């Protein structure tokens, strides 16, 4: 598997919004995006890099919706 990119929460958010996900709500520092029946929870700590597991979840959600 190729190496996952290092992205910030803002970059992940823009990727999700471009793919058609809608911001529905937030709880603490976590933002929830929904598209149909798919849900993605994105921890939003500005200035930090997302954990590779979260990046993998975002990429998988975008690929599944295509």
């Amino acid at each position: 598997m190729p190496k996952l990119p290092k992205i910030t929460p803002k970059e992940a958010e823009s990727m999700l919004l471009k793919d058609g996900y809608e911001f529905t709500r937030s709880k603490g520092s976590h933002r929830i995006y929904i598209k149909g029946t798919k849900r993605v929870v994105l921890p939003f700590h500005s200035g930090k890099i997302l954990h590779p597991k979260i990046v993998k979840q975002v990429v998988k959600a975008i690929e599944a919706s295509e």
Side-chain angles (χ1 to χ4, degrees), residues 2-66:
K3 203 171 189 182
L4 292 171
K6 294 183 178 184
I7 61 174
T8 63
K10 282 191 177 192
E11 293 170 336
E13 179 183 41
S14 67
M15 289 168 53
L16 288 171
L17 293 175
K18 280 183 187 177
D19 194 50
Y21 280 82
E22 293 181 18
F23 172 72
T24 56
R25 62 188 177 93
S26 65
K27 184 170 185 179
S29 62
H30 291 76
R31 295 184 180 179
I32 292 100
Y33 299 88
I34 293 182
K35 180 179 179 183
T37 59
K38 298 282 185 181
R39 181 184 72 166
V40 177
V41 179
L42 188 64
F44 212 86
H45 302 280
S46 61
K48 302 262 181 155
I49 301 294
L50 291 175
H51 191 276
K53 287 183 181 181
I54 303 297
V55 175
K56 189 174 182 179
Q57 176 191 12
V58 170
V59 170
K60 186 178 174 183
I62 291 172
E63 287 177 352
S65 66
E66 290 179 350

